[in-house]
Amino acid sequence: MAADDEVLRAVEGSLDRPSAARVYDYFIGGNHNYAIDRAFGDKVRARLPLIPDSAVACRQFLGRAVRYASKSGIHQYVDIGSGLPTAGNVHEVADEARPEHDTTVVYIDNEPIALAHSQLLLADTADPDRHRAIAGDLLEPIDLWERVGETGVIDFEQPVALVINAVLHFIKDEQQPHQALDFYRDQLAPGSFLIMCQLTDENPADDEERRALDDLKAYYETTTNPGQYRSREEFLKFYGDFELVEPGLVYAPEWHPDEKALFADAPSKSRILAAVARKP
């Protein structure tokens, strides 16, 4: 699927600063990034050597959470802020977990490059009757949810797994993410899942790590996606009255770990909080 002129102009306008989505792609070994993103990623790695592994830990958590949801009977996914396509996309993991291949997925991103590459990926590898990639902004929930409905692949009367993975730490409280999450939770049918993770600076190992985390936040202020850390208590508010799936809100490597999980011996070093919750 070729990008139209509007998308191309938006892509060109996004290349003067590093993009969090493209830096994340660089960290997890993707190839949809540019020199400006790699230079920024190398700067971050030099200051916090574990951050690229933390990005991988986010992706690993996503895979485990999708497998869990799929085996629990969920066959509809809405992935907001899906980022750039790489190995282990939601539709791939879900189809592997559900051999019936009855899973429907809508990928949503507001970054032109991420959207364009997602559309190309789906055109080449996915089922257009079950998998779609659309433009949308998490912070414009009514418009986004209408666009999801217009795809025709999600039945809002049935349970949905809403995925917001490695996104919220790029959204500041003054942008009102809590109001957006309130809206999304209200739209979901009973039995739906909410899958999220968030970077935290809570309980640093020592003063050096505290300074390094402060530097990381300052670095991202120069990108297209400045954001904020959150504590466990702050992050938990995004789940509202949903019921946390065991083991609850934990560091990402602790959530249903497998043999591939990074930071298995020291989960807090990942700096990633994660949880899956179910709507009563």
Side-chain angles (χ1 to χ4, degrees):
M1 182 184 296
D4 60 22
D5 290 343
E6 182 179 352
V7 170
L8 288 173
R9 285 195 299 271
V11 168
E12 291 170 357
S14 72
L15 298 180
D16 60 335
R17 288 179 292 167
S19 151
R22 300 193 306 260
V23 173
Y24 181 81
D25 177 71
Y26 175 50
F27 283 158
I28 63 177
N31 55 16
H32 303 306
N33 49 76
Y34 296 87
I36 193 170
D37 307 306
R38 294 189 288 273
F40 180 85
D42 291 342
K43 178 181 177 181
V44 169
R45 180 186 283 112
R47 189 68 182 94
L48 283 100
L50 292 179
I51 284 296
D53 283 347
S54 295
V56 175
C58 282
R59 193 73 182 181
Q60 291 179 334
F61 160 72
L62 172 63
R64 298 194 303 272
V66 170
R67 280 193 291 274
Y68 179 91
S70 295
K71 291 179 180 179
S72 299
I74 297 292
H75 57 84
Q76 301 189 113
Y77 291 83
V78 175
D79 186 353
I80 303 179
S82 53
L84 289 152
T86 187
N89 291 290
V90 169
H91 73 279
E92 296 168 329
V93 176
D95 274 355
E96 183 177 313
R98 291 182 64 83
E100 303 94 330
H101 287 190
D102 59 350
T103 299
T104 58
V105 183
V106 176
Y107 293 103
I108 305 154
D109 211 288
N110 66 349
E111 187 187 273
I113 292 177
L115 177 62
H117 280 295
S118 292
Q119 291 172 336
L120 288 168
L121 170 79
L122 297 185
D124 290 342
T125 68
D127 182 346
D129 292 332
R130 297 189 293 124
H131 309 131
R132 303 290 175 83
I134 63 173
D137 189 333
L138 182 146
L139 298 173
E140 299 289 340
I142 296 175
D143 176 70
L144 183 149
W145 211 245
E146 288 179 352
R147 294 186 184 200
V148 172
E150 288 168 359
T151 66
V153 302
I154 300 295
D155 179 358
F156 291 140
E157 299 299 315
Q158 299 299 317
V160 173
L162 178 60
V163 177
I164 306 176
N165 193 59
V167 174
L168 290 169
H169 42 248
F170 296 117
I171 300 176
K172 297 185 178 184
D173 283 347
E174 54 261 37
Q175 296 173 275
Q176 301 185 331
H178 294 86
Q179 286 86 333
L181 264 294
D182 289 347
F183 174 87
Y184 294 125
R185 291 195 311 272
D186 285 345
Q187 304 311 305
L188 296 173
S192 293
F193 282 71
L194 183 56
I195 299 171
M196 300 190 293
C197 69
Q198 159 82 46
L199 192 63
T200 184
D201 62 349
E202 193 172 45
N203 302 320
D206 50 35
D207 288 343
E208 172 54 27
E209 186 179 33
R210 165 65 69 187
R211 289 190 292 269
L213 288 165
D214 288 344
D215 287 345
L216 178 65
K217 183 178 179 182
Y219 291 170
Y220 270 91
E221 289 292 326
T222 68
T223 74
T224 58
N225 310 94
Q228 72 177 71
Y229 301 116
R230 291 185 176 89
S231 66
R232 286 173 179 263
E233 182 179 359
E234 290 168 335
F235 181 48
L236 187 58
K237 291 178 181 178
F238 288 122
Y239 290 88
D241 62 355
F242 281 27
E243 299 170 348
L244 294 179
V245 171
E246 290 295 332
L249 177 57
V250 294
Y251 286 105
E254 296 177 289
W255 202 90
H256 293 254
D258 56 25
E259 68 282 357
K260 297 179 181 178
L262 296 180
F263 300 104
D265 57 340
S268 65
K269 289 185 177 180
S270 71
R271 311 306 312 165
I272 304 295
L273 297 173
V276 175
R278 182 186 289 107
K279 186 169 184 175

PDB file of all heavy atoms in Angstrom, residues 219-249:
ATOM      1  N   TYR A 219      16.611  13.766  28.124  1.00  0.00           N
ATOM      2  CA  TYR A 219      16.927  13.428  26.737  1.00  0.00           C
ATOM      3  C   TYR A 219      15.645  13.381  25.896  1.00  0.00           C
ATOM      4  O   TYR A 219      15.587  13.911  24.779  1.00  0.00           O
ATOM      5  CB  TYR A 219      17.611  12.061  26.648  1.00  0.00           C
ATOM      6  CG  TYR A 219      19.011  11.977  27.210  1.00  0.00           C
ATOM      7  CD1 TYR A 219      19.634  10.739  27.353  1.00  0.00           C
ATOM      8  CD2 TYR A 219      19.722  13.105  27.602  1.00  0.00           C
ATOM      9  CE1 TYR A 219      20.922  10.629  27.862  1.00  0.00           C
ATOM     10  CE2 TYR A 219      21.005  13.008  28.119  1.00  0.00           C
ATOM     11  CZ  TYR A 219      21.601  11.761  28.248  1.00  0.00           C
ATOM     12  OH  TYR A 219      22.862  11.648  28.760  1.00  0.00           O
ATOM     13  N   TYR A 220      14.608  12.713  26.430  1.00  0.00           N
ATOM     14  CA  TYR A 220      13.387  12.535  25.653  1.00  0.00           C
ATOM     15  C   TYR A 220      12.607  13.829  25.466  1.00  0.00           C
ATOM     16  O   TYR A 220      11.739  13.916  24.590  1.00  0.00           O
ATOM     17  CB  TYR A 220      12.510  11.435  26.265  1.00  0.00           C
ATOM     18  CG  TYR A 220      12.832  10.072  25.697  1.00  0.00           C
ATOM     19  CD1 TYR A 220      13.784   9.240  26.295  1.00  0.00           C
ATOM     20  CD2 TYR A 220      12.225   9.619  24.528  1.00  0.00           C
ATOM     21  CE1 TYR A 220      14.100   8.012  25.766  1.00  0.00           C
ATOM     22  CE2 TYR A 220      12.526   8.387  23.986  1.00  0.00           C
ATOM     23  CZ  TYR A 220      13.472   7.583  24.608  1.00  0.00           C
ATOM     24  OH  TYR A 220      13.796   6.358  24.059  1.00  0.00           O
ATOM     25  N   GLU A 221      12.915  14.847  26.262  1.00  0.00           N
ATOM     26  CA  GLU A 221      12.284  16.147  26.041  1.00  0.00           C
ATOM     27  C   GLU A 221      12.686  16.723  24.684  1.00  0.00           C
ATOM     28  O   GLU A 221      12.005  17.617  24.158  1.00  0.00           O
ATOM     29  CB  GLU A 221      12.665  17.120  27.157  1.00  0.00           C
ATOM     30  CG  GLU A 221      12.029  16.806  28.505  1.00  0.00           C
ATOM     31  CD  GLU A 221      10.527  17.013  28.521  1.00  0.00           C
ATOM     32  OE1 GLU A 221      10.042  17.939  27.834  1.00  0.00           O
ATOM     33  OE2 GLU A 221       9.837  16.230  29.206  1.00  0.00           O
ATOM     34  N   THR A 222      13.780  16.242  24.102  1.00  0.00           N
ATOM     35  CA  THR A 222      14.251  16.751  22.807  1.00  0.00           C
ATOM     36  C   THR A 222      13.688  15.943  21.633  1.00  0.00           C
ATOM     37  O   THR A 222      13.998  16.244  20.487  1.00  0.00           O
ATOM     38  CB  THR A 222      15.786  16.714  22.735  1.00  0.00           C
ATOM     39  OG1 THR A 222      16.235  15.342  22.703  1.00  0.00           O
ATOM     40  CG2 THR A 222      16.408  17.397  23.936  1.00  0.00           C
ATOM     41  N   THR A 223      12.873  14.922  21.925  1.00  0.00           N
ATOM     42  CA  THR A 223      12.316  14.081  20.869  1.00  0.00           C
ATOM     43  C   THR A 223      10.897  14.520  20.533  1.00  0.00           C
ATOM     44  O   THR A 223      10.363  15.465  21.107  1.00  0.00           O
ATOM     45  CB  THR A 223      12.297  12.599  21.297  1.00  0.00           C
ATOM     46  OG1 THR A 223      11.242  12.402  22.260  1.00  0.00           O
ATOM     47  CG2 THR A 223      13.628  12.182  21.900  1.00  0.00           C
ATOM     48  N   THR A 224      10.274  13.780  19.622  1.00  0.00           N
ATOM     49  CA  THR A 224       8.877  14.050  19.289  1.00  0.00           C
ATOM     50  C   THR A 224       7.934  13.535  20.364  1.00  0.00           C
ATOM     51  O   THR A 224       6.727  13.772  20.286  1.00  0.00           O
ATOM     52  CB  THR A 224       8.511  13.376  17.948  1.00  0.00           C
ATOM     53  OG1 THR A 224       8.744  11.968  18.057  1.00  0.00           O
ATOM     54  CG2 THR A 224       9.327  13.952  16.807  1.00  0.00           C
ATOM     55  N   ASN A 225       8.464  12.826  21.374  1.00  0.00           N
ATOM     56  CA  ASN A 225       7.610  12.180  22.371  1.00  0.00           C
ATOM     57  C   ASN A 225       8.135  12.341  23.793  1.00  0.00           C
ATOM     58  O   ASN A 225       8.501  11.366  24.440  1.00  0.00           O
ATOM     59  CB  ASN A 225       7.468  10.682  22.060  1.00  0.00           C
ATOM     60  CG  ASN A 225       7.079  10.411  20.636  1.00  0.00           C
ATOM     61  OD1 ASN A 225       7.947  10.193  19.789  1.00  0.00           O
ATOM     62  ND2 ASN A 225       5.802  10.434  20.359  1.00  0.00           N
ATOM     63  N   PRO A 226       8.176  13.564  24.331  1.00  0.00           N
ATOM     64  CA  PRO A 226       8.531  13.710  25.745  1.00  0.00           C
ATOM     65  C   PRO A 226       7.449  13.078  26.618  1.00  0.00           C
ATOM     66  O   PRO A 226       6.306  12.908  26.177  1.00  0.00           O
ATOM     67  CB  PRO A 226       8.590  15.229  25.939  1.00  0.00           C
ATOM     68  CG  PRO A 226       7.692  15.779  24.889  1.00  0.00           C
ATOM     69  CD  PRO A 226       7.830  14.854  23.706  1.00  0.00           C
ATOM     70  N   GLY A 227       7.811  12.719  27.853  1.00  0.00           N
ATOM     71  CA  GLY A 227       6.818  12.052  28.681  1.00  0.00           C
ATOM     72  C   GLY A 227       7.148  12.113  30.146  1.00  0.00           C
ATOM     73  O   GLY A 227       7.810  13.042  30.611  1.00  0.00           O
ATOM     74  N   GLN A 228       6.709  11.091  30.896  1.00  0.00           N
ATOM     75  CA  GLN A 228       6.950  11.083  32.332  1.00  0.00           C
ATOM     76  C   GLN A 228       6.957   9.659  32.870  1.00  0.00           C
ATOM     77  O   GLN A 228       6.346   8.756  32.304  1.00  0.00           O
ATOM     78  CB  GLN A 228       5.900  11.912  33.069  1.00  0.00           C
ATOM     79  CG  GLN A 228       4.514  11.299  33.127  1.00  0.00           C
ATOM     80  CD  GLN A 228       3.565  12.151  33.949  1.00  0.00           C
ATOM     81  OE1 GLN A 228       3.172  13.237  33.531  1.00  0.00           O
ATOM     82  NE2 GLN A 228       3.194  11.671  35.133  1.00  0.00           N
ATOM     83  N   TYR A 229       7.684   9.500  33.972  1.00  0.00           N
ATOM     84  CA  TYR A 229       7.646   8.248  34.720  1.00  0.00           C
ATOM     85  C   TYR A 229       6.391   8.236  35.591  1.00  0.00           C
ATOM     86  O   TYR A 229       5.807   9.269  35.884  1.00  0.00           O
ATOM     87  CB  TYR A 229       8.867   8.139  35.636  1.00  0.00           C
ATOM     88  CG  TYR A 229      10.194   8.188  34.937  1.00  0.00           C
ATOM     89  CD1 TYR A 229      11.088   9.240  35.184  1.00  0.00           C
ATOM     90  CD2 TYR A 229      10.599   7.179  34.070  1.00  0.00           C
ATOM     91  CE1 TYR A 229      12.324   9.285  34.567  1.00  0.00           C
ATOM     92  CE2 TYR A 229      11.828   7.210  33.449  1.00  0.00           C
ATOM     93  CZ  TYR A 229      12.693   8.269  33.697  1.00  0.00           C
ATOM     94  OH  TYR A 229      13.917   8.314  33.088  1.00  0.00           O
ATOM     95  N   ARG A 230       6.013   7.033  36.048  1.00  0.00           N
ATOM     96  CA  ARG A 230       4.934   6.922  37.019  1.00  0.00           C
ATOM     97  C   ARG A 230       5.260   5.848  38.049  1.00  0.00           C
ATOM     98  O   ARG A 230       5.916   4.852  37.738  1.00  0.00           O
ATOM     99  CB  ARG A 230       3.601   6.604  36.324  1.00  0.00           C
ATOM    100  CG  ARG A 230       3.074   7.758  35.480  1.00  0.00           C
ATOM    101  CD  ARG A 230       1.707   7.494  34.883  1.00  0.00           C
ATOM    102  NE  ARG A 230       1.238   8.694  34.168  1.00  0.00           N
ATOM    103  CZ  ARG A 230       1.490   8.942  32.893  1.00  0.00           C
ATOM    104  NH1 ARG A 230       2.192   8.087  32.171  1.00  0.00           N
ATOM    105  NH2 ARG A 230       1.048  10.053  32.336  1.00  0.00           N
ATOM    106  N   SER A 231       4.767   6.064  39.251  1.00  0.00           N
ATOM    107  CA  SER A 231       4.915   5.079  40.313  1.00  0.00           C
ATOM    108  C   SER A 231       3.876   3.975  40.123  1.00  0.00           C
ATOM    109  O   SER A 231       2.960   4.086  39.290  1.00  0.00           O
ATOM    110  CB  SER A 231       4.708   5.746  41.671  1.00  0.00           C
ATOM    111  OG  SER A 231       3.353   6.186  41.799  1.00  0.00           O
ATOM    112  N   ARG A 232       3.988   2.915  40.918  1.00  0.00           N
ATOM    113  CA  ARG A 232       2.982   1.848  40.879  1.00  0.00           C
ATOM    114  C   ARG A 232       1.588   2.419  41.126  1.00  0.00           C
ATOM    115  O   ARG A 232       0.629   2.089  40.423  1.00  0.00           O
ATOM    116  CB  ARG A 232       3.297   0.793  41.945  1.00  0.00           C
ATOM    117  CG  ARG A 232       4.467  -0.111  41.624  1.00  0.00           C
ATOM    118  CD  ARG A 232       4.796  -0.987  42.815  1.00  0.00           C
ATOM    119  NE  ARG A 232       5.906  -1.887  42.516  1.00  0.00           N
ATOM    120  CZ  ARG A 232       5.767  -3.154  42.128  1.00  0.00           C
ATOM    121  NH1 ARG A 232       4.557  -3.660  42.028  1.00  0.00           N
ATOM    122  NH2 ARG A 232       6.814  -3.906  41.874  1.00  0.00           N
ATOM    123  N   GLU A 233       1.474   3.240  42.163  1.00  0.00           N
ATOM    124  CA  GLU A 233       0.174   3.813  42.517  1.00  0.00           C
ATOM    125  C   GLU A 233      -0.384   4.660  41.381  1.00  0.00           C
ATOM    126  O   GLU A 233      -1.577   4.574  41.054  1.00  0.00           O
ATOM    127  CB  GLU A 233       0.313   4.654  43.783  1.00  0.00           C
ATOM    128  CG  GLU A 233      -0.990   5.262  44.261  1.00  0.00           C
ATOM    129  CD  GLU A 233      -0.824   6.084  45.532  1.00  0.00           C
ATOM    130  OE1 GLU A 233       0.308   6.155  46.053  1.00  0.00           O
ATOM    131  OE2 GLU A 233      -1.827   6.660  45.999  1.00  0.00           O
ATOM    132  N   GLU A 234       0.459   5.453  40.755  1.00  0.00           N
ATOM    133  CA  GLU A 234       0.006   6.308  39.658  1.00  0.00           C
ATOM    134  C   GLU A 234      -0.405   5.479  38.447  1.00  0.00           C
ATOM    135  O   GLU A 234      -1.428   5.757  37.804  1.00  0.00           O
ATOM    136  CB  GLU A 234       1.119   7.282  39.278  1.00  0.00           C
ATOM    137  CG  GLU A 234       1.374   8.342  40.338  1.00  0.00           C
ATOM    138  CD  GLU A 234       2.648   9.131  40.097  1.00  0.00           C
ATOM    139  OE1 GLU A 234       3.577   8.597  39.430  1.00  0.00           O
ATOM    140  OE2 GLU A 234       2.729  10.268  40.578  1.00  0.00           O
ATOM    141  N   PHE A 235       0.382   4.470  38.120  1.00  0.00           N
ATOM    142  CA  PHE A 235       0.075   3.631  36.961  1.00  0.00           C
ATOM    143  C   PHE A 235      -1.197   2.826  37.184  1.00  0.00           C
ATOM    144  O   PHE A 235      -2.022   2.657  36.270  1.00  0.00           O
ATOM    145  CB  PHE A 235       1.260   2.711  36.687  1.00  0.00           C
ATOM    146  CG  PHE A 235       1.091   1.791  35.506  1.00  0.00           C
ATOM    147  CD1 PHE A 235       0.640   2.257  34.284  1.00  0.00           C
ATOM    148  CD2 PHE A 235       1.398   0.436  35.618  1.00  0.00           C
ATOM    149  CE1 PHE A 235       0.490   1.408  33.194  1.00  0.00           C
ATOM    150  CE2 PHE A 235       1.257  -0.421  34.539  1.00  0.00           C
ATOM    151  CZ  PHE A 235       0.798   0.064  33.328  1.00  0.00           C
ATOM    152  N   LEU A 236      -1.399   2.342  38.413  1.00  0.00           N
ATOM    153  CA  LEU A 236      -2.557   1.509  38.713  1.00  0.00           C
ATOM    154  C   LEU A 236      -3.872   2.234  38.442  1.00  0.00           C
ATOM    155  O   LEU A 236      -4.883   1.604  38.087  1.00  0.00           O
ATOM    156  CB  LEU A 236      -2.497   1.056  40.176  1.00  0.00           C
ATOM    157  CG  LEU A 236      -3.535   0.033  40.632  1.00  0.00           C
ATOM    158  CD1 LEU A 236      -3.447  -1.240  39.797  1.00  0.00           C
ATOM    159  CD2 LEU A 236      -3.352  -0.273  42.112  1.00  0.00           C
ATOM    160  N   LYS A 237      -3.888   3.555  38.563  1.00  0.00           N
ATOM    161  CA  LYS A 237      -5.113   4.330  38.354  1.00  0.00           C
ATOM    162  C   LYS A 237      -5.648   4.176  36.932  1.00  0.00           C
ATOM    163  O   LYS A 237      -6.855   4.324  36.700  1.00  0.00           O
ATOM    164  CB  LYS A 237      -4.862   5.801  38.669  1.00  0.00           C
ATOM    165  CG  LYS A 237      -4.616   6.075  40.155  1.00  0.00           C
ATOM    166  CD  LYS A 237      -4.324   7.550  40.400  1.00  0.00           C
ATOM    167  CE  LYS A 237      -4.051   7.811  41.875  1.00  0.00           C
ATOM    168  NZ  LYS A 237      -3.717   9.234  42.131  1.00  0.00           N
ATOM    169  N   PHE A 238      -4.767   3.880  35.977  1.00  0.00           N
ATOM    170  CA  PHE A 238      -5.216   3.714  34.596  1.00  0.00           C
ATOM    171  C   PHE A 238      -6.138   2.500  34.423  1.00  0.00           C
ATOM    172  O   PHE A 238      -6.840   2.399  33.425  1.00  0.00           O
ATOM    173  CB  PHE A 238      -4.030   3.577  33.649  1.00  0.00           C
ATOM    174  CG  PHE A 238      -3.269   4.862  33.426  1.00  0.00           C
ATOM    175  CD1 PHE A 238      -1.914   4.936  33.708  1.00  0.00           C
ATOM    176  CD2 PHE A 238      -3.894   5.984  32.917  1.00  0.00           C
ATOM    177  CE1 PHE A 238      -1.195   6.105  33.490  1.00  0.00           C
ATOM    178  CE2 PHE A 238      -3.194   7.162  32.698  1.00  0.00           C
ATOM    179  CZ  PHE A 238      -1.844   7.223  32.984  1.00  0.00           C
ATOM    180  N   TYR A 239      -6.103   1.564  35.380  1.00  0.00           N
ATOM    181  CA  TYR A 239      -6.905   0.344  35.269  1.00  0.00           C
ATOM    182  C   TYR A 239      -8.298   0.491  35.876  1.00  0.00           C
ATOM    183  O   TYR A 239      -9.137  -0.403  35.711  1.00  0.00           O
ATOM    184  CB  TYR A 239      -6.176  -0.827  35.934  1.00  0.00           C
ATOM    185  CG  TYR A 239      -4.955  -1.273  35.174  1.00  0.00           C
ATOM    186  CD1 TYR A 239      -3.707  -0.687  35.415  1.00  0.00           C
ATOM    187  CD2 TYR A 239      -5.030  -2.257  34.200  1.00  0.00           C
ATOM    188  CE1 TYR A 239      -2.585  -1.084  34.704  1.00  0.00           C
ATOM    189  CE2 TYR A 239      -3.910  -2.664  33.495  1.00  0.00           C
ATOM    190  CZ  TYR A 239      -2.694  -2.068  33.746  1.00  0.00           C
ATOM    191  OH  TYR A 239      -1.585  -2.455  33.038  1.00  0.00           O
ATOM    192  N   GLY A 240      -8.565   1.621  36.558  1.00  0.00           N
ATOM    193  CA  GLY A 240      -9.887   1.836  37.125  1.00  0.00           C
ATOM    194  C   GLY A 240     -10.310   0.699  38.026  1.00  0.00           C
ATOM    195  O   GLY A 240      -9.547   0.244  38.882  1.00  0.00           O
ATOM    196  N   ASP A 241     -11.559   0.207  37.805  1.00  0.00           N
ATOM    197  CA  ASP A 241     -12.082  -0.871  38.642  1.00  0.00           C
ATOM    198  C   ASP A 241     -11.936  -2.241  37.993  1.00  0.00           C
ATOM    199  O   ASP A 241     -12.553  -3.214  38.431  1.00  0.00           O
ATOM    200  CB  ASP A 241     -13.555  -0.610  38.976  1.00  0.00           C
ATOM    201  CG  ASP A 241     -14.454  -0.572  37.740  1.00  0.00           C
ATOM    202  OD1 ASP A 241     -13.923  -0.647  36.604  1.00  0.00           O
ATOM    203  OD2 ASP A 241     -15.683  -0.458  37.907  1.00  0.00           O
ATOM    204  N   PHE A 242     -11.105  -2.340  36.959  1.00  0.00           N
ATOM    205  CA  PHE A 242     -10.851  -3.639  36.347  1.00  0.00           C
ATOM    206  C   PHE A 242     -10.114  -4.543  37.350  1.00  0.00           C
ATOM    207  O   PHE A 242      -9.376  -4.063  38.206  1.00  0.00           O
ATOM    208  CB  PHE A 242     -10.004  -3.495  35.079  1.00  0.00           C
ATOM    209  CG  PHE A 242     -10.777  -3.058  33.866  1.00  0.00           C
ATOM    210  CD1 PHE A 242     -11.939  -2.313  33.968  1.00  0.00           C
ATOM    211  CD2 PHE A 242     -10.329  -3.390  32.593  1.00  0.00           C
ATOM    212  CE1 PHE A 242     -12.648  -1.907  32.845  1.00  0.00           C
ATOM    213  CE2 PHE A 242     -11.027  -2.992  31.464  1.00  0.00           C
ATOM    214  CZ  PHE A 242     -12.188  -2.253  31.587  1.00  0.00           C
ATOM    215  N   GLU A 243     -10.312  -5.839  37.198  1.00  0.00           N
ATOM    216  CA  GLU A 243      -9.711  -6.812  38.115  1.00  0.00           C
ATOM    217  C   GLU A 243      -8.371  -7.287  37.564  1.00  0.00           C
ATOM    218  O   GLU A 243      -8.298  -7.833  36.453  1.00  0.00           O
ATOM    219  CB  GLU A 243     -10.659  -8.001  38.291  1.00  0.00           C
ATOM    220  CG  GLU A 243     -12.008  -7.619  38.885  1.00  0.00           C
ATOM    221  CD  GLU A 243     -13.020  -8.744  38.838  1.00  0.00           C
ATOM    222  OE1 GLU A 243     -12.746  -9.759  38.138  1.00  0.00           O
ATOM    223  OE2 GLU A 243     -14.089  -8.609  39.472  1.00  0.00           O
ATOM    224  N   LEU A 244      -7.306  -7.086  38.333  1.00  0.00           N
ATOM    225  CA  LEU A 244      -5.981  -7.481  37.880  1.00  0.00           C
ATOM    226  C   LEU A 244      -5.866  -9.001  37.801  1.00  0.00           C
ATOM    227  O   LEU A 244      -6.273  -9.721  38.712  1.00  0.00           O
ATOM    228  CB  LEU A 244      -4.913  -6.944  38.830  1.00  0.00           C
ATOM    229  CG  LEU A 244      -4.744  -5.423  38.893  1.00  0.00           C
ATOM    230  CD1 LEU A 244      -3.664  -5.062  39.905  1.00  0.00           C
ATOM    231  CD2 LEU A 244      -4.389  -4.850  37.531  1.00  0.00           C
ATOM    232  N   VAL A 245      -5.321  -9.456  36.688  1.00  0.00           N
ATOM    233  CA  VAL A 245      -5.005 -10.872  36.519  1.00  0.00           C
ATOM    234  C   VAL A 245      -3.741 -11.172  37.328  1.00  0.00           C
ATOM    235  O   VAL A 245      -2.818 -10.361  37.386  1.00  0.00           O
ATOM    236  CB  VAL A 245      -4.786 -11.186  35.018  1.00  0.00           C
ATOM    237  CG1 VAL A 245      -4.250 -12.597  34.828  1.00  0.00           C
ATOM    238  CG2 VAL A 245      -6.074 -10.976  34.244  1.00  0.00           C
ATOM    239  N   GLU A 246      -3.700 -12.323  37.957  1.00  0.00           N
ATOM    240  CA  GLU A 246      -2.498 -12.710  38.702  1.00  0.00           C
ATOM    241  C   GLU A 246      -1.284 -12.715  37.777  1.00  0.00           C
ATOM    242  O   GLU A 246      -1.398 -13.108  36.619  1.00  0.00           O
ATOM    243  CB  GLU A 246      -2.676 -14.101  39.322  1.00  0.00           C
ATOM    244  CG  GLU A 246      -3.684 -14.128  40.457  1.00  0.00           C
ATOM    245  CD  GLU A 246      -3.241 -13.319  41.663  1.00  0.00           C
ATOM    246  OE1 GLU A 246      -2.014 -13.177  41.863  1.00  0.00           O
ATOM    247  OE2 GLU A 246      -4.115 -12.812  42.386  1.00  0.00           O
ATOM    248  N   PRO A 247      -0.127 -12.235  38.216  1.00  0.00           N
ATOM    249  CA  PRO A 247       0.246 -11.857  39.586  1.00  0.00           C
ATOM    250  C   PRO A 247       0.001 -10.400  39.934  1.00  0.00           C
ATOM    251  O   PRO A 247       0.617  -9.873  40.854  1.00  0.00           O
ATOM    252  CB  PRO A 247       1.733 -12.168  39.602  1.00  0.00           C
ATOM    253  CG  PRO A 247       2.181 -11.825  38.209  1.00  0.00           C
ATOM    254  CD  PRO A 247       1.058 -12.244  37.314  1.00  0.00           C
ATOM    255  N   GLY A 248      -0.873  -9.705  39.219  1.00  0.00           N
ATOM    256  CA  GLY A 248      -1.181  -8.323  39.525  1.00  0.00           C
ATOM    257  C   GLY A 248      -0.239  -7.354  38.845  1.00  0.00           C
ATOM    258  O   GLY A 248       0.313  -7.631  37.773  1.00  0.00           O
ATOM    259  N   LEU A 249      -0.049  -6.190  39.469  1.00  0.00           N
ATOM    260  CA  LEU A 249       0.852  -5.171  38.934  1.00  0.00           C
ATOM    261  C   LEU A 249       2.271  -5.476  39.400  1.00  0.00           C
ATOM    262  O   LEU A 249       2.567  -5.431  40.593  1.00  0.00           O
ATOM    263  CB  LEU A 249       0.433  -3.784  39.411  1.00  0.00           C
ATOM    264  CG  LEU A 249       1.324  -2.608  38.996  1.00  0.00           C
ATOM    265  CD1 LEU A 249       1.460  -2.528  37.490  1.00  0.00           C
ATOM    266  CD2 LEU A 249       0.779  -1.304  39.552  1.00  0.00           C
TER     267      LEU A 249
END
